Amino acid sequence: MKGLYYLRGGIVLRGDESFLHADTGVTSELFVERSLNEIRFWSRIMKEHSLFLKLGFRAEDTQLIQEANQFYKLFEQIEQTSHVFTNQTDPERIRRFNTEVQQAATSIYMFKRKVLGLILTCKMPGANNFPLLVDHVSREANYFRKRLLELNEGKLNALPDAIIKENVFFLRIMADHAKFIGHLLDPSERKLVDIARNFSNDFDQLLFQAKDLESMKPQSQTVPLLDQFLDQNRVSVSSLRDFKKTARDLIEQCRIKSIIHPLLADHVFREADRFLEIIDMFDAHLTSSSPQPGNSN
């Protein structure tokens, strides 16, 4: 693993300066590709968050509804713009775009934290947004804005650090999803509610294990331990992803009772699918960089 660094969705071998973009520490092409990939995925997520929050506001929350609508339009425009650019776009133009989007992500993060504060101080009685859901979507906004900053500043995490950090973040996201599904299904859907609760417990345990591994760094960052860590997480994430897909299809066909918006069902499915892509990428690079027995990292 020596010399390998992680740039969301790509691995960089640091040290070959002729191969690196001087300002970011990665090639210009990779910088553009990863920037657009992040923005295309997360701008859609932010847009949908705006809708979900609006649906949970009360009719009298006119100012919050207006702000949510504005954020929806803003991130819809960002998403559309990101698809105009290509991997051959001038890196400096993408750097400026990253800055613009990062500012938008920071703004929606602050909006979400404001809403959370109103809920927790009982200023919005009768609203239908769970405090944990608002905290959840704000964590994702903060993740997004930090990713864009890291891309523009060329900050790379060593592969072992990135594996643990990314898994800690996404395991908590998955645990939250299971809790939301369990609470938004109709209580009469007893079997599905039980399945969701079991997933919640499973991912809570995986999250605790990930944090334990994190606290044992750097001694815990061996290839065998990290490989087992990824394999175990992949099994659970695959199962949850499949459950989300089934639930999404049943909701779209009106075959189960719930108050889950069909778009929310698809939303959480896409996030699980992205987590699996990240796990697979990590695993491929971890095993390919594994030293031969008897050699040090």
Side-chain angles (χ1 to χ4, degrees):
M1 288 184 289
K2 186 176 182 180
L4 285 176
Y5 289 80
Y6 174 62
L7 177 74
R8 286 285 292 117
I11 299 295
V12 177
L13 181 60
R14 201 119 190 211
D16 183 2
E17 297 303 325
S18 65
F19 182 67
L20 302 178
H21 184 55
D23 294 326
T24 65
V26 298
T27 64
S28 298
E29 183 178 356
L30 182 58
F31 168 73
V32 171
E33 177 187 343
R34 294 317 309 164
S35 295
L36 293 177
N37 180 278
E38 291 289 336
I39 292 173
R40 286 167 183 167
F41 180 82
W42 287 107
S43 62
R44 182 180 179 185
I45 295 295
M46 296 299 111
K47 178 184 72 174
E48 292 169 355
H49 285 172
S50 304
L51 173 63
F52 301 147
L53 289 173
K54 184 182 76 169
L55 293 175
F57 292 147
R58 303 167 301 174
E60 61 264 36
D61 297 323
T62 54
Q63 179 60 36
L64 294 176
I65 291 171
Q66 182 179 355
E67 290 182 73
N69 284 335
Q70 290 171 346
F71 278 118
Y72 186 95
K73 293 176 183 177
L74 173 61
F75 281 99
E76 184 174 52
Q77 182 178 22
I78 288 170
E79 182 185 10
Q80 291 171 350
T81 302
S82 71
H83 286 282
V84 173
F85 295 130
T86 69
N87 291 347
Q88 285 69 49
T89 301
D90 179 7
E92 288 305 315
R93 178 66 190 93
I94 298 301
R95 188 188 311 281
R96 292 194 299 271
F97 186 47
N98 283 352
T99 299
E100 295 166 8
V101 179
Q102 186 270 329
Q103 291 170 350
T106 299
S107 294
I108 197 170
Y109 167 77
M110 297 302 296
F111 172 68
K112 292 168 176 177
R113 299 310 288 187
K114 178 179 73 173
V115 171
L116 179 61
L118 291 171
I119 295 171
L120 293 178
T121 54
C122 302
K123 301 287 178 57
M124 299 177 65
N128 291 316
N129 288 312
F130 292 126
L132 183 61
L133 185 144
V134 182
D135 177 63
H136 173 100
V137 298
S138 72
R139 275 183 268 125
E140 292 187 343
N142 197 38
Y143 174 94
F144 183 26
R145 61 175 291 277
K146 285 183 177 179
R147 281 292 168 265
L148 294 174
L149 285 171
E150 290 171 357
L151 281 162
N152 271 9
E153 295 174 3
K155 291 182 179 178
L156 305 180
N157 290 318
L159 181 61
D161 289 337
I163 288 174
I164 295 176
K165 182 179 179 181
E166 290 285 309
N167 276 268
V168 166
F169 174 80
F170 274 101
L171 287 171
R172 187 177 180 190
I173 294 299
M174 296 300 109
D176 288 348
H177 285 172
K179 292 174 176 63
F180 300 149
I181 293 169
H183 282 82
L184 295 173
L185 286 165
D186 189 80
S188 69
E189 295 285 359
R190 290 172 174 81
K191 184 62 177 177
L192 291 176
V193 170
D194 282 345
I195 293 173
R197 286 174 178 167
N198 288 336
F199 274 120
S200 174
N201 292 333
D202 182 26
F203 278 92
D204 281 345
Q205 292 302 313
L206 291 173
L207 177 58
F208 284 133
Q209 287 186 189
K211 289 185 174 180
D212 288 340
L213 200 65
E214 186 176 42
S215 72
M216 296 178 190
K217 293 190 317 182
Q219 288 80 8
S220 63
Q221 294 174 318
T222 68
V223 170
L225 285 177
L226 292 175
D227 189 43
Q228 172 62 17
F229 175 63
L230 291 172
D231 287 347
Q232 188 174 35
N233 290 346
R234 180 190 292 105
V235 171
S236 292
V237 178
S238 295
S239 295
L240 179 61
R241 189 268 313 269
D242 293 345
F243 172 68
K244 289 175 174 178
K245 182 179 185 299
T246 299
R248 180 197 65 185
D249 294 346
L250 292 173
I251 289 167
E252 289 177 349
Q253 297 163 13
C254 200
R255 294 177 62 188
I256 58 174
K257 302 178 292 296
S258 80
I259 56 171
I260 300 173
H261 194 291
L263 183 60
L264 177 58
D266 185 62
H267 178 100
V268 298
F269 166 77
R270 279 181 272 119
E271 290 189 1
D273 207 45
R274 188 167 182 88
F275 187 16
L276 277 177
E277 291 175 4
I278 292 171
I279 289 175
D280 288 342
M281 181 277 299
F282 276 142
D283 192 46
H285 288 283
L286 182 69
T287 53
S288 68
S289 64
S290 176
Q292 295 298 315
N295 291 347
S296 60
N297 286 344

